[in-house]
Amino acid sequence: MPDSALGVLVLAAGKGTRMKTVLPKVLLPILDKPMLGYLLKAVLEIVPSGVAVLVGHQGEHVRDYLRAFPSVKVLWQKEQLGTGHAVQVSREWWSRFGQLLVLNGDLPFLSPDALKSFVEEHRSAGVDCSLLSFVTDRPDGYGRVLRGPEGVSIVEHKDASPQQRLIQEVNAGCYVFTTEALLRVIGRLENHNAQGEYYLPDVVGLMNAEGLKVHASIAGEDELLGVNTQAELAEMTRRMRDALVQSWMAKGVRVLDPSAVWVGPDAKLAPDVCLMPGVQVWGESVVGKDSTVGPYCILRNAVLGQGVNLTAYVIVEDSQLRDGAKAGPFAYIREGSLLDEGAFAGKFVELKKTHVGRGSKVPHLSYMGDAVLGEDANIGAGSVTCNYDGKNKFPTKIGDRCFVGSDTMMVAPVTLGDDSATAAGSTITADVPEGALAVGRARQRNIEGWVRAKKRQR
Ligand code: UD1
Ligand code: CA
């Protein structure tokens, strides 16, 4: 390995005790993505290979999440005896690199640019250890950076004297080491401290004592805030939301109330999209140009074409709406559905794995499941595909230009041919030929004078 080869070790084995959750801290989501995902994305942008994540507490879950990052190596710290211990147990992996970047797993705001210039600064300064610090008026919980005549060292909050606690420059949990220098001191950490842990920041003091060169550079607080409590997680989530919504607005998205809209980090919005208050856009959703997402709509992995209009209270999950399609208010478009160009799903309509063909309409109070509707069909109010017999699901096919009368029950599997119609209130149990009217209801009879006769009896 050349001396310049850079390895990255992300520490993600800790409990995150202060979070008080079962899920390990690094998997807690900011918006709809685990905290660790943000850091890894930034890291992989500047270092595509040579990245490892150290897992331990609930490590199986973290490992499972890391399957989404196939180039990332998973290392284990079976017992979590501190951040220094974490670096000790992974020595065999990192000793192959010339330089090692060590990152706490809870740094979701760290940008690729900041990481890059930090590593470059370390290299050009020719030091053995660089660490990032920031100045904050809420330093509680962080390790304080002591700058004395013997150089830089760090004292953890719990070990700090009242005087030291007044220091506002804190350790960010982001370090670059020259591997050779790190190997010289890493075995010498001790755990005689308030937490009985092996602290990685103690390496800094040890290096100073060895006459190795340490450099602490101060960076902006915004990118370096850690996440240690639920309150901080909520605060980070809000900041991330603000940043994302602002960046979409800068690209031409219209947002009526930026404080009332939620957009996840993997969603994509085109210019001239309009987001009304209460909208949530999650997952890999895509919203095309000139589309309006009305109040309180929730999109999750929804793909909307151009000029789509969701009036209000529409939920779209794992489904697609093509150009000019319309939905809502109060529609639920579930997994695997497709509204083709100009199609419409209206009030209190649920679609599941259903393709609504071009220009077809399901305007009110209907359930369509496992159905394929052709073009320009119209589904009367209250119609239902009876697709489930309690055990299996069956398909319904509704042809082009079909006119399904109100309150038609289509007992699947069943096919309605092109240009066919059903009488209102029909229960359709057999296929309907092309162009036919299906009447599947009891014939009405009127009993003349019945009401008057009844009244007379009383
Ligand atoms: C750490 C630093 C502190 C710094 C702060 C910045 C230490 C001792 N202190 O404190 O100086 O100001 O980060 O946020 O390092 N982890 C492991 N194995 C362990 C323990 C922790 O992998 O045995 C991981 C955690 O999952 C986490 C990271 O290391 O991602 C930091 O641990 P955390 O408990 O958050 O450290 P802090 O107490 O915040
Ligand atoms: Ca922390």
Side-chain angles (χ1 to χ4, degrees):
M1 275 281 157
D3 251 18
S4 58
L6 178 75
V8 184
L9 179 66
V10 178
L11 306 183
K15 268 202 201 76
T17 320
R18 285 166 282 174
M19 283 294 177
K20 310 217 160 93
T21 52
V22 177
L23 213 61
K25 177 166 82 174
V26 292
L27 290 190
L28 293 176
I30 290 184
L31 298 171
D32 61 343
K33 178 153 131 178
M35 204 186 292
L36 182 59
Y38 292 88
L39 179 64
L40 283 179
K41 185 165 180 273
V43 165
L44 291 170
E45 233 171 83
I46 60 154
V47 193
S49 67
V51 179
V53 176
L54 191 76
V55 306
H57 176 73
Q58 300 260 332
E60 296 75 20
H61 295 296
V62 185
R63 180 200 57 202
D64 290 349
Y65 174 63
L66 289 171
R67 295 214 168 100
F69 302 86
S71 67
V72 170
K73 170 117 183 122
V74 177
L75 301 171
W76 285 83
Q77 182 192 20
K78 297 271 180 215
E79 245 185 318
Q80 292 83 51
L81 305 180
T83 49
H85 179 254
V87 174
Q88 284 174 339
V89 299
S90 53
R91 177 169 14 193
E92 200 192 311
W93 176 79
W94 55 257
S95 55
R96 75 194 67 188
F97 299 99
Q99 317 276 324
L100 180 68
L101 173 63
V102 181
L103 296 163
N104 281 1
D106 62 346
L107 288 166
F109 273 95
L110 202 54
S111 68
D113 285 350
L115 268 175
K116 203 166 166 219
S117 55
F118 175 56
V119 172
E120 275 165 8
E121 213 181 290
H122 168 83
R123 282 178 169 156
S124 59
V127 293
D128 299 293
C129 163
S130 297
L131 62 100
L132 274 182
S133 68
F134 62 95
V135 176
T136 172
D137 49 17
R138 289 185 296 174
D140 274 20
Y142 289 101
R144 304 300 201 282
V145 177
L146 312 180
R147 292 179 185 264
E150 321 79 50
V152 180
S153 62
I154 293 158
V155 59
E156 288 307 303
H157 179 84
K158 286 188 177 149
D159 300 287
S161 66
Q163 210 55 35
Q164 289 169 329
R165 285 187 183 180
L166 297 175
I167 296 173
Q168 294 191 319
E169 184 185 356
V170 300
N171 170 29
C174 174
Y175 323 78
V176 204
F177 301 102
T178 299
T179 307
E180 203 193 311
L182 184 59
L183 283 167
R184 263 163 73 183
V185 298
I186 191 70
R188 282 193 243 149
L189 292 172
E190 309 234 26
N191 64 351
H192 311 307
N193 50 48
Q195 300 183 77
E197 286 183 4
Y198 297 90
Y199 296 158
L200 181 60
D202 284 355
V203 156
V204 175
L206 289 171
M207 284 193 169
N208 269 319
E210 278 280 302
L212 295 164
K213 276 184 265 170
V214 178
H215 176 72
S217 46
I218 303 181
E221 172 180 19
D222 285 358
E223 287 202 21
L224 296 174
L225 283 173
V227 183
N228 296 301
T229 62
Q230 293 289 344
E232 283 171 10
L233 183 67
E235 163 82 8
M236 290 294 164
T237 303
R238 189 189 57 74
R239 275 170 182 250
M240 192 67 85
R241 185 275 305 273
D242 288 350
L244 283 165
V245 171
Q246 292 298 330
S247 81
W248 286 118
M249 286 165 70
K251 290 179 182 143
V253 172
R254 193 152 65 92
V255 180
L256 266 74
D257 181 355
S259 70
V261 159
W262 296 83
V263 178
D266 299 322
K268 301 222 162 20
L269 311 173
D272 293 305
V273 160
C274 174
L275 305 181
M276 298 290 201
V279 163
Q280 301 177 31
V281 186
W282 303 123
E284 315 240 313
S285 292
V286 178
V287 183
K289 209 168 150 15
D290 295 320
S291 291
T292 296
V293 186
Y296 299 98
C297 290
I298 303 175
L299 309 183
R300 188 168 279 107
N301 303 319
V303 177
L304 273 50
Q306 298 191 9
V308 170
N309 185 356
L310 306 183
T311 45
Y313 299 99
V314 178
I315 301 177
V316 184
E317 292 173 349
D318 301 297
S319 292
Q320 188 183 353
L321 278 77
R322 294 213 170 115
D323 297 355
K326 274 173 84 170
F330 304 104
Y332 186 14
I333 300 170
R334 291 170 50 201
E335 72 275 12
S337 293
L338 169 71
L339 262 69
D340 223 320
E341 285 169 30
F344 174 51
K347 286 70 64 187
F348 305 102
V349 168
E350 178 180 346
L351 305 179
K352 190 221 66 175
K353 286 190 186 145
T354 285
H355 179 165
V356 182
R358 189 192 294 249
S360 287
K361 295 178 172 54
V362 191
H364 348 253
L365 300 157
S366 290
Y367 170 65
M368 301 280 118
D370 305 299
V372 177
L373 282 65
E375 296 181 4
D376 297 316
N378 188 84
I379 308 296
S383 293
V384 169
T385 56
C386 311
N387 61 329
Y388 185 48
D389 65 1
K391 220 172 160 190
N392 295 302
K393 303 274 166 73
F394 300 96
T396 300
K397 208 171 162 300
I398 299 172
D400 294 343
R401 297 167 301 280
C402 272
F403 186 89
V404 173
S406 295
D407 192 31
T408 297
M409 298 293 127
M410 288 159 275
V411 181
V414 72
T415 297
L416 279 64
D418 290 347
D419 301 291
S420 67
T422 68
S426 290
T427 298
I428 305 297
T429 53
D431 290 354
V432 182
E434 190 183 322
L437 167 69
V439 185
R441 65 185 185 209
R443 189 174 283 278
Q444 174 179 336
R445 67 193 170 105
N446 295 334
I447 305 173
E448 295 288 348
W450 184 90
V451 175
R452 217 177 312 132
K454 187 86 180 166
K455 277 186 184 153
R456 238 182 267 128
Q457 279 172 17
R458 284 202 203 109

